[in-house]
Amino acid sequence: MPSYTAPIKDMQFILHDVLKASQADIPGYDELEPDFTGAVLEEAGKISSEVLAPLNVVGDKEGCRLENGKVFTPTGFKEAFEQLKEGGWTGLDCDPEYGGQGMAYVLAIAVGEMMQSANQAFMMYPGLTHGAYSAIHAHGSDEQKATYLPKMVSCEWTGTMNLTEPHCGTDLGLMRTKAEPQDDGTYAISGQKIFISAGDHDMSENVIHLVLAKIPGGPEGIKGVSLFIVPKFIVNDDGTLGARNGVSVGSIEEKMGIHGNSTCVLNYDGATGYLIGEAHKGMRAMFTMMNEARIGVGMQGLSQAEAAYQNAVIYAKDRLQGRAVTGAQFPDKPADPLIVHPDIRRSLMDQKSFCEGARMLCLWGAELIDRSHRKNDSTALGLISLLTPVIKGFLTDEGYDMTVKAQQIYGGHGYIEEWGMSQFTRDARIAMIYEGANGVQALDLVGRKLAADGGKPMMAFIELVKTFCKENADDEAMAPFTEPLKEASKALQAAAMYFMQNGMKNPNHALAGSNDFMHLFGHVTLGLMWGYMGKAASEALKGDPADKAFYETKLATGRYYMARRLPAVATHLARIQSGADTVMALDAESF
């Protein structure tokens, strides 16, 4: 069975050596002293390794089952969920007014990565609940917040998001679910929703569905969509649970992965719904939930890559195969371990440099969210809005590739279920699809985010790169970071310029290059993250630290990324600059 060890030392390095969290000018960050974050991360790591990770294979093999209209989760899930609730982990960064602990989002993201690495399917239950909590917290009435949030923070009640229908996924303007106004101010919700993660289960007393639907007579398309709270059980005025609402599970989807999560078809038959915010303004509220979810899904790309990488390293050190080309490294053994071979090292270094760079990006992104929320910082908000499709799209594309590389280390054993490596690949695959497929993330990046606010966020990002390179120009130790980053940044700017010069004349020129741009941007962003980490490691080594090897390893890993991974930007730029003509050359009949 695969194992998992929380990368606490690496998280502490990012929080304190790089981000210098406790010194940041963000309200509440003064609490983030190394001893405090270390205690939280140690405890979360223990739960992840000892409670959640052993259930990962159980969830994969057993899946969820539907019997007589009830959904049952895999063996052990209920008990683990109770432990999570008892420890207050479900409300780590939630509002104390509703029972949350009010901690910084950056710490919640670090904890979330560990738990997602240990068991992605399980963590989707509290994860979806947190997203639904955020939408109600931001857009619900005071009465709605008082009614639902305390129980959702504690996960006594869980939450879902209901967007997709059988005939429409990305194009939500095509949805058919109706919300008929009732005399008492409620709405009767009727329709069918599919692919509803954590749609129903046996781990909470109630499920609070957030449902997109159209009020008859409203505007056509996406402008006529409203958002509703539709609880599984009606909540009485005194907070107790009343009658069963008109929502039922039609079936549980059979999926490639995340078998431990109950992905449901939900049928709404005149179910009582309560409007959130204004009528016909549902997408505004839903995007609060979706943007948070997209950061979380990007983290899933990292989390599965990290878990797969850890097991690949163990196997590569243990498995004896062939001899090192330079001569036997372990002459007393019948063969050398896999890890002596350069191609195995290349694969492991790809994985290691991605995971550590992606972790830095997720925590930096979380800090931007904290800065935008807690300080009302518009620059931070602009940056994280720009980077959200990059975090979601790039980290899940790359994260999936890394699970495949980890599986490959095992050779044939990676393809055999007994070793558990295929689960990481199967579970990681969904992250490229849900919360907006990665092609849509790329279109959003190029079509909307790039030019948002007159291009200020993009210019702010470029300025961050320039400033970093300029400040470290005379530092010889940083040359392996600054020189490649400078060149990569030029490629990013050249790609953006190409879109500006050609996209207006023919939008296809921009859209045909959108996926490459997302990856180009992703590599530059990880290059900047490695620059920040390289600088912190270099500075730490000047003080002759006790754990010298950790910082030296960090620098070596960063240099690998800059030399071997970052040059991919040249290929992406060449593809972008080739335009749309070859992409659009065939008519539909020729495919």
Side-chain angles (χ1 to χ4, degrees), residues 25-345:
D25 60 341
I26 302 170
Y29 267 48
D30 56 339
E31 297 173 8
L32 301 180
E33 293 288 348
D35 287 350
F36 174 68
T37 59
V40 173
L41 296 178
E42 285 287 347
E43 196 54 40
K46 235 182 262 180
I47 292 170
S48 299
S49 299
E50 297 171 13
V51 178
L52 302 183
L55 293 175
N56 200 34
V57 173
V58 175
D60 189 51
K61 290 194 185 319
E62 284 188 19
C64 298
R65 68 186 198 279
L66 176 64
E67 291 178 5
N68 301 319
K70 291 185 178 178
V71 175
F72 296 90
T73 50
T75 304
F77 270 44
K78 254 177 122 168
E79 293 78 8
F81 204 59
E82 285 305 311
Q83 276 190 251
L84 221 60
K85 289 193 283 188
E86 284 166 18
W89 297 105
T90 58
L92 205 63
D93 63 318
C94 294
D95 190 340
E97 190 179 336
Y98 302 104
Q101 297 188 47
M103 291 188 195
Y105 188 57
V106 73
L107 189 58
I109 280 286
V111 168
E113 186 210 316
M114 296 178 189
M115 294 183 174
Q116 292 276 9
S117 286
N119 197 323
Q120 179 178 325
F122 175 89
M123 285 307 296
M124 288 169 67
Y125 294 98
L128 268 296
T129 305
H130 192 289
Y133 153 87
S134 295
I136 296 172
H137 190 270
H139 302 280
S141 66
D142 289 343
E143 186 185 350
Q144 287 171 339
K145 288 191 253 193
T147 300
Y148 298 102
L149 295 190
K151 299 278 193 182
M152 293 175 77
V153 167
S154 66
C155 269
E156 290 169 79
W157 301 348
T158 55
T160 70
M161 55 194 295
N162 285 231
L163 292 82
T164 309
E165 299 182 9
H167 60 284
C168 75
T170 302
D171 191 352
L172 292 171
L174 297 174
M175 73 173 54
R176 295 175 188 151
T177 300
K178 291 278 186 291
E180 297 277 357
Q182 304 299 294
D183 294 340
D184 61 358
T186 64
Y187 291 78
I189 313 293
S190 298
Q192 186 180 75
K193 297 289 183 177
I194 62 170
F195 306 159
I196 309 307
S197 302
D200 198 60
H201 53 87
D202 56 354
M203 298 192 298
S204 66
E205 298 167 358
N206 203 1
V207 183
I208 311 304
H209 302 293
L210 295 196
V211 184
L212 286 178
K214 287 183 172 180
I215 300 169
E220 287 297 309
I222 201 70
K223 290 181 179 175
V225 171
S226 303
L227 184 64
F228 300 87
I229 295 172
V230 186
K232 176 180 173 182
F233 290 98
I234 300 293
V235 181
N236 296 322
D237 291 341
D238 63 358
T240 59
L241 297 183
R244 177 73 190 251
N245 208 350
V247 53
S248 59
V249 180
S251 62
I252 297 175
E253 307 280 12
E254 290 190 30
K255 312 181 295 289
M256 175 179 173
I258 55 166
H259 297 150
N261 195 267
S262 53
T263 309
C264 298
V265 173
L266 293 180
N267 296 318
Y268 292 88
D269 186 14
T272 300
Y274 308 88
L275 180 68
I276 298 181
E278 295 176 55
H280 318 308
K281 304 284 185 190
M283 287 310 296
R284 186 190 304 165
M286 187 55 90
F287 266 110
T288 297
M289 192 172 180
M290 287 183 73
N291 283 332
E292 177 182 312
R294 284 168 177 172
I295 302 288
V297 171
M299 193 177 66
Q300 286 178 355
L302 156 63
S303 68
Q304 296 312 291
E306 172 67 27
Y309 163 71
Q310 286 188 16
N311 287 279
V313 169
I314 294 167
Y315 189 82
K317 288 178 178 177
D318 288 347
R319 175 75 167 175
L320 303 180
Q321 289 286 286
R323 289 292 187 192
V325 71
T326 52
Q329 301 294 298
F330 294 83
D332 55 324
K333 294 184 177 179
D336 287 333
L338 280 171
I339 202 160
V340 305
H341 303 300
D343 192 59
I344 296 292
R345 291 291 190 98

Side-chain angles (χ1 to χ4, degrees), residues 380-516:
L381 180 61
L383 262 176
I384 193 59
S385 298
L386 171 70
L387 289 168
T388 293
V390 178
I391 291 170
K392 196 281 181 185
F394 179 69
L395 294 193
T396 57
D397 276 353
E398 289 285 301
Y400 175 78
D401 285 349
M402 296 307 154
T403 66
V404 172
K405 286 176 190 281
Q407 188 183 25
Q408 187 75 9
I409 298 286
Y410 283 68
H413 291 295
Y415 199 66
I416 303 298
E417 291 298 333
E418 175 192 347
W419 289 83
M421 291 305 286
S422 84
Q423 185 185 352
F424 299 125
T425 301
R426 288 184 286 104
D427 286 357
R429 186 65 186 88
I430 185 58
M432 301 159 74
I433 298 171
Y434 62 13
E435 303 307 339
N438 286 357
V440 175
Q441 300 301 321
L443 295 180
D444 179 44
L445 175 63
V446 170
R448 291 178 63 242
K449 300 294 172 63
L450 204 53
D453 195 16
K456 279 184 196 166
M458 186 64 189
M459 289 185 275
F461 178 82
I462 295 295
E463 196 53 42
L464 283 176
V465 176
K466 282 183 180 171
T467 300
F468 176 81
C469 292
K470 210 177 290 178
E471 286 175 351
N472 295 283
D474 299 328
D475 187 344
E476 207 176 308
M478 290 304 295
F481 294 88
T482 54
E483 293 304 320
L485 184 56
K486 207 185 296 176
E487 289 306 307
S489 175
K490 287 177 188 172
L492 181 64
Q493 291 173 75
M497 187 61 70
Y498 176 84
F499 291 152
M500 284 171 64
Q501 291 171 344
N502 298 275
M504 295 297 284
K505 289 179 275 184
N506 180 358
N508 282 340
H509 285 311
L511 301 187
S514 60
N515 188 271
D516 279 290

Side-chain angles (χ1 to χ4, degrees), residues 349-370:
M349 286 298 282
D350 280 355
Q351 295 167 56
K352 180 176 172 63
S353 64
F354 166 76
C355 288
E356 293 179 18
R359 178 171 301 117
M360 173 69 202
L361 177 54
C362 286
L363 292 174
W364 183 62
E367 188 204 50
L368 289 174
I369 289 172
D370 279 332

